[in-house]
């Protein structure tokens, strides 16, 4: 992926290895990315029919804030967020032997949507790479072609965003990630290193990072993405998010701003603790004064 490599090495980007928790299948992983919360057992059961997501999420916060969201790709998103997209085109992952049409069905919208100025968030979930994994594994000769295709998609989006920035005062954020990895045989669902490690690249002209210090990307959690996106978009962090926003991303910002972001994340996390850990409240207050001679009585 020469263009992506160029962006990673040029410096206006931050790269991470984001660890996905098992089960490494699409539905719970999209939930983790958008809610920042850890899936329970019930999600595995629900993956079969993917009902609408009830938990707080970046998508819900964005929609509430009046952002217009457009989605193209894996139809799991449309099932999870049935009323959230201003426009969408879902692609079924049922025909796992197809790795061309599933992606053309996403890319065919690109030229048009990138020219428009009526959206705030564009989400694309390509399926082809995953399908090639299932057909012939991660070392398949088909992988190289697919990555090259994805690289030109990224170039198209990045070039378009850059030219748009000349007209608007605010910088854009481009996020490239995977929902899960794939094993040596091209499958996924379990917890091998190859299945849980996913690439996470954030690209924005807002970043001030010296080129060349990204050789060893930091390992982070997939659940850190939700808080990071919320802060980037100026939205409240989803209520149940257990993630920490990715601090390197704001390291170039003024100290006051950095502290404000940390404060927002800390307040959200301590609220989550208060609501879910009964012993947390007790520990956070000083112990009541003991009467020197009295005996404790239970009312
Ligand atoms: Zn798959």
């Amino acid at each position: 992926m020469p263009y992506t490599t160029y962006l990673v090495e040029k410096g206006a980007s931050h790269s991470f290895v984001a660890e996905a928790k098992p089960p490494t299948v699409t539905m719970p992983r999209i939930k983790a990315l958008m809610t920042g919360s850890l899936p329970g057992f019930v999600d595995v059961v629900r993956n079969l029919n993917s009902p609408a997501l009830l938990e707080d999420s970046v998508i819900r916060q964005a929609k509430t804030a009046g952002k217009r969201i457009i989605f193209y790709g894996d139809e799991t998103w449309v099932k999870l967020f049935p009323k959230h997209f201003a426009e969408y085109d879902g692609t079924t992952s049922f025909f796992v032997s197809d790795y061309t049409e599933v992606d053309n069905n996403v890319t065919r919208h690109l030229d048009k949507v990138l020219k428009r100025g009526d959206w705030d968030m564009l989400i694309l979930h390509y399926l082809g790479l995953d399908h090639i994994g299932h057909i012939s594994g991660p070392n398949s000769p088909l992988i190289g072609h697919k990555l090259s295709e994805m690289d030109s998609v990224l170039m198209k989006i990045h070039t378009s965003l850059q030219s748009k920035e000349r007209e608007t005062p605010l910088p854009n954020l481009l996020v490239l990630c995977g929902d899960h990895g794939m094993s040596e045989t091209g499958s996924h669902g379990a917890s091998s290193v190859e299945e849980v490690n996913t690439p996470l690249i954030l690209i924005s002209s807002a970043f001030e990072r010296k080129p060349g210090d990204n050789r060893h990307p930091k390992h982070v959690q997939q659940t850190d993405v939700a808080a990071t996106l919320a802060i980037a978009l100026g939205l409240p962090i989803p209520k149940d998010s257990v993630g920490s926003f990715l601090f390197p991303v704001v390291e170039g910002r003024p100290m006051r701003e950095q502290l404000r972001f940390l404060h927002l994340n800390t307040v959200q996390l301590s609220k989550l603790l208060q609501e879910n850990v009964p012993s947390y409240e007790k520990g956070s207050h000083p112990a009541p004064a003991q009467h020197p001679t009295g005996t404790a009585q239970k009312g």
Side-chain angles (χ1 to χ4, degrees), residues 2 17 20 25 37 49 67 102 105 109 121 151 156 171 176-177 196 198 209 223 289:
V17 174
V25 287
S37 63
N49 56 358
K67 308 267 186 214
V102 281
N105 198 43
H109 295 287
M121 264 173 100
D151 195 46
K156 188 188 279 258
L176 175 69
C177 65
V196 300
T198 67
R209 208 181 49 81
T223 43

Side-chain angles (χ1 to χ4, degrees), residues 6 11 55 114 118 141 147 190 199 201 212 241 243 251 256-257 264:
Y6 158 74
E55 288 95 328
L114 288 175
D118 61 344
L147 289 179
I201 305 173
S241 165
E251 263 169 359
R256 177 178 286 269
E257 246 176 79
L264 287 170

Side-chain angles (χ1 to χ4, degrees), residues 233-275:
L233 295 165
L235 302 169
I237 298 171
K239 209 162 68 47
D240 299 316
S241 165
V242 297
S244 313
F245 84 94
L246 300 166
F247 193 71
V249 170
V250 302
E251 263 169 359
R253 310 301 303 167
M255 185 63 77
R256 177 178 286 269
E257 246 176 79
Q258 295 185 30
L259 285 170
R260 175 163 161 69
F261 296 146
L262 284 171
H263 182 243
L264 287 170
N265 203 174
T266 313
V267 168
Q268 174 263 324
L269 283 172
S270 61
K271 217 172 159 195
L272 182 68
L273 267 174
Q274 269 167 4
E275 282 164 13

Side-chain angles (χ1 to χ4, degrees), residues 68-97:
R68 280 176 59 85
I69 314 167
I70 294 180
F71 173 80
Y72 304 124
D74 190 318
E75 63 174 2
T76 311
W77 286 79
V78 181
K79 289 175 178 167
L80 283 170
F81 307 103
K83 289 177 183 150
H84 299 71
F85 302 130
E87 190 184 305
Y88 62 85
D89 185 7
T91 301
T92 176
S93 60
F94 189 74
F95 302 103
V96 88
S97 58

Side-chain angles (χ1 to χ4, degrees), residues 2-3 63-64 76 86 97 102 119 138 155 161 168 196 200 206 219 242 256 269 278 286 295:
Y3 190 79
K63 165 108 170 128
T64 307
T76 311
S97 58
V102 281
W119 51 267
M155 178 161 80
L161 292 181
T168 51
V196 300
L200 172 62
H219 278 246
V242 297
R256 177 178 286 269
L269 283 172
T295 48

Side-chain angles (χ1 to χ4, degrees), residues 24-26 74 93 96 127 129-134 179-182 186-189:
T24 46
V25 287
T26 293
D74 190 318
S93 60
V96 88
L127 293 157
L129 191 60
D130 173 81
H131 287 190
I132 290 174
H134 286 292
D179 52 344
H180 55 72
M182 68 172 78
S187 67
H188 58 89

Side-chain angles (χ1 to χ4, degrees), residues 24-209:
T24 46
V25 287
T26 293
M27 200 277 268
R29 304 294 27 104
I30 295 174
K31 282 183 72 169
L33 282 165
M34 290 298 113
T35 67
S37 63
L38 292 164
F41 171 74
V42 75
D43 294 316
V44 188
V45 181
R46 277 186 185 171
N47 196 28
L48 298 173
N49 56 358
S50 304
L53 188 65
L54 302 170
E55 288 95 328
D56 194 10
S57 66
V58 176
I59 303 289
R60 179 193 281 187
Q61 291 294 348
K63 165 108 170 128
T64 307
K67 308 267 186 214
R68 280 176 59 85
I69 314 167
I70 294 180
F71 173 80
Y72 304 124
D74 190 318
E75 63 174 2
T76 311
W77 286 79
V78 181
K79 289 175 178 167
L80 283 170
F81 307 103
K83 289 177 183 150
H84 299 71
F85 302 130
E87 190 184 305
Y88 62 85
D89 185 7
T91 301
T92 176
S93 60
F94 189 74
F95 302 103
V96 88
S97 58
D98 165 44
Y99 52 86
T100 308
E101 288 304 311
V102 281
D103 287 349
N104 288 346
N105 198 43
V106 179
T107 304
R108 72 192 175 100
H109 295 287
L110 264 189
D111 285 326
K112 229 185 219 170
V113 80
L114 288 175
K115 277 194 196 106
R116 288 160 46 182
D118 61 344
W119 51 267
D120 303 291
M121 264 173 100
L122 172 64
I123 304 170
L124 311 173
H125 187 140
Y126 281 90
L127 293 157
L129 191 60
D130 173 81
H131 287 190
I132 290 174
H134 286 292
I135 301 163
S136 47
N139 301 311
S140 160
L142 298 169
I143 295 270
H145 290 124
K146 186 50 86 180
L147 289 179
S148 162
E149 180 190 333
M150 292 297 107
D151 195 46
S152 39
V153 166
L154 192 101
M155 178 161 80
K156 188 188 279 258
I157 298 168
H158 185 247
T159 312
S160 158
L161 292 181
Q162 273 190 319
S163 68
K164 269 189 180 171
E165 275 183 15
R166 287 179 209 125
E167 298 146 32
T168 51
L170 284 173
N172 293 296
L173 173 64
L174 174 55
V175 180
L176 175 69
C177 65
D179 52 344
H180 55 72
M182 68 172 78
S183 73
E184 277 307 304
T185 57
S187 67
H188 58 89
S191 55
S192 71
V193 176
E194 291 80 9
E195 285 161 280
V196 300
N197 280 351
T198 67
L200 172 62
I201 305 173
L202 294 95
I203 302 154
S204 175
S205 59
F207 297 155
E208 296 160 33
R209 208 181 49 81

